[in-house]
Amino acid sequence: MLLTCNASSIADLLQSKGRQQPKLRLGDVPAYVKDELGLHGLNLSTDLLVGSTPERLTELRDRADKSGCAILLLIEAEPQAFGDPDDEVGFAAIDRMRRVLHAASLLGCNSAAMKIQSAEDEDSQDRVVDRVREVVKQADKLDINLLISPHEGLTAEPESLTELIKKIGGFRIGTLPDFKQAHDSGDPETYLRRLTPYASVVLAATFEFEIDDSALDDGPGSLEALADALMSSAPPKHVEYDLAPMLDAINSVGFDGTLAVDFRGGEDGTLGVLQSKEALEAAIESLGK
């Protein structure tokens, strides 16, 4: 599995604090993710691109390509009301996602993702199917995959989301599973096994970690002993839920797409991403991958 990074994981570096300028400019993020975090792909959300012109998006794509950390996925930050009975509202959702797809194309992405806001009744589902098909037409023209992330309402349950995807049809429509949503479902392994066959990207949402530093408790010693202790220490342990069963679940259905590190646990995004990376790599290795 290729590990990539959601830029929102390091949002603390992109935000100004008082009169202090951000520690990192958006254009510098791809190089930072590659050189400092050791990850080889980047996902962006649309809230990070507010005010960007087509020229700035193209420049960002070029900088990402030169750094060896391509932008792979653009995520629409706000749920779109595809199931609304008001045609004007529904058209606004279509138009918004068409613009997101255009931005994704300028950034060089192969996928764009969204959440659907809709009631669960049959009429709402029919409206969603018809409207999302219009977006899929644009995705086809741009050679971009359109991914649907589960959201409350029509797409909350794996069965209803996969049924919706089948009704929409086409090769450019898929899912964007999320470890946190899987955990909240109460049966994360089944949840992921049902959604991952339709996915090209899975969000490995992570939060707090615990570090086992017992190997360092024996007091001072030689530098060699300290290095051995560090090398033999266990990887960070994810507190909220066990990552290994989730990775096993997506592996069991033959997932060979990208696994996006999506740290959501605190102010130090850099540390969180590094801990997430280490924990995920250890869990993947334990699966024999």
Side-chain angles (χ1 to χ4, degrees):
M1 299 177 196
L2 175 67
L3 291 184
T4 63
C5 182
N6 272 14
S8 56
S9 301
I10 52 171
D12 57 306
L13 300 180
L14 298 168
Q15 297 166 350
S16 57
K17 297 180 180 179
R19 295 184 178 180
Q20 293 183 345
Q21 293 295 316
K23 295 180 179 179
L24 197 66
R25 300 286 184 182
L26 186 60
D28 298 323
V29 169
Y32 186 85
V33 167
K34 171 75 179 304
D35 298 336
E36 303 299 327
L37 303 180
L39 297 170
H40 302 279
L42 181 63
N43 307 320
L44 296 177
S45 57
T46 54
D47 55 340
L48 296 175
L49 302 177
V50 174
S52 295
T53 63
E55 291 75 19
R56 287 183 64 186
L57 296 179
T58 302
E59 179 185 357
L60 179 56
R61 178 199 66 204
D62 291 344
R63 293 187 67 172
D65 290 345
K66 288 177 182 178
S67 68
C69 185
I71 304 169
L72 303 175
L73 171 66
L74 179 60
I75 302 172
E76 166 54 33
E78 296 296 326
Q80 297 300 306
F82 280 94
D84 197 286
D86 188 327
D87 286 340
E88 187 172 340
V89 174
F91 179 78
I94 295 171
D95 182 63
R96 172 61 182 174
M97 286 311 302
R98 283 173 172 166
R99 287 186 284 123
V100 170
L101 285 169
H102 180 62
S105 179
L106 292 174
L107 289 167
C109 301
N110 54 35
S111 300
M114 66 178 182
K115 293 180 179 178
I116 292 174
Q117 182 177 310
S118 174
E120 301 176 55
D121 60 274
E122 187 173 345
D123 288 342
S124 295
Q125 185 186 67
D126 289 343
R127 285 190 289 268
V128 170
V129 169
D130 291 340
R131 290 165 177 170
V132 174
R133 280 176 179 167
E134 294 301 311
V135 181
V136 171
K137 290 178 183 178
Q138 180 76 359
D140 277 331
K141 293 177 182 178
L142 296 172
D143 291 330
I144 292 176
N145 298 316
L146 180 65
L147 310 180
I148 301 176
S149 182
H151 185 62
E152 61 184 18
L154 179 63
T155 61
E157 299 298 326
E159 295 82 359
S160 57
L161 177 50
T162 55
E163 179 185 355
L164 179 69
I165 286 174
K166 291 174 183 176
K167 287 186 176 183
I168 294 168
F171 296 104
R172 290 290 179 183
I173 189 76
T175 62
L176 182 62
D178 181 313
F179 279 9
K180 178 62 164 63
Q181 292 171 327
H183 168 72
D184 291 347
S185 74
D187 187 357
E189 291 96 324
T190 299
Y191 182 99
L192 290 168
R193 281 195 292 267
R194 288 175 176 169
L195 286 183
T196 303
Y198 301 87
S200 54
V201 183
V202 174
L203 299 182
T206 56
F207 296 85
E208 182 183 357
F209 287 89
E210 289 180 347
I211 304 296
D212 179 9
D213 56 3
S214 58
L216 306 178
D217 290 343
D218 295 333
S222 67
L223 289 176
E224 291 81 3
L226 177 60
D228 289 342
L230 288 171
M231 290 295 291
S232 63
S233 61
K237 179 181 179 182
H238 190 240
V239 175
E240 187 153 338
Y241 43 78
D242 191 353
L243 298 172
M246 298 193 184
L247 290 165
D248 187 41
I250 65 175
N251 180 62
S252 70
V253 294
F255 178 69
D256 62 354
T258 61
L259 187 66
V261 174
D262 191 6
F263 177 69
R264 306 173 187 175
E267 295 183 357
D268 192 342
T270 295
L271 177 61
V273 170
L274 291 173
Q275 290 177 329
S276 301
K277 176 175 177 282
E278 185 178 353
L280 289 166
E281 287 178 338
I284 291 171
E285 185 177 357
S286 72
L287 299 176
K289 292 294 176 180

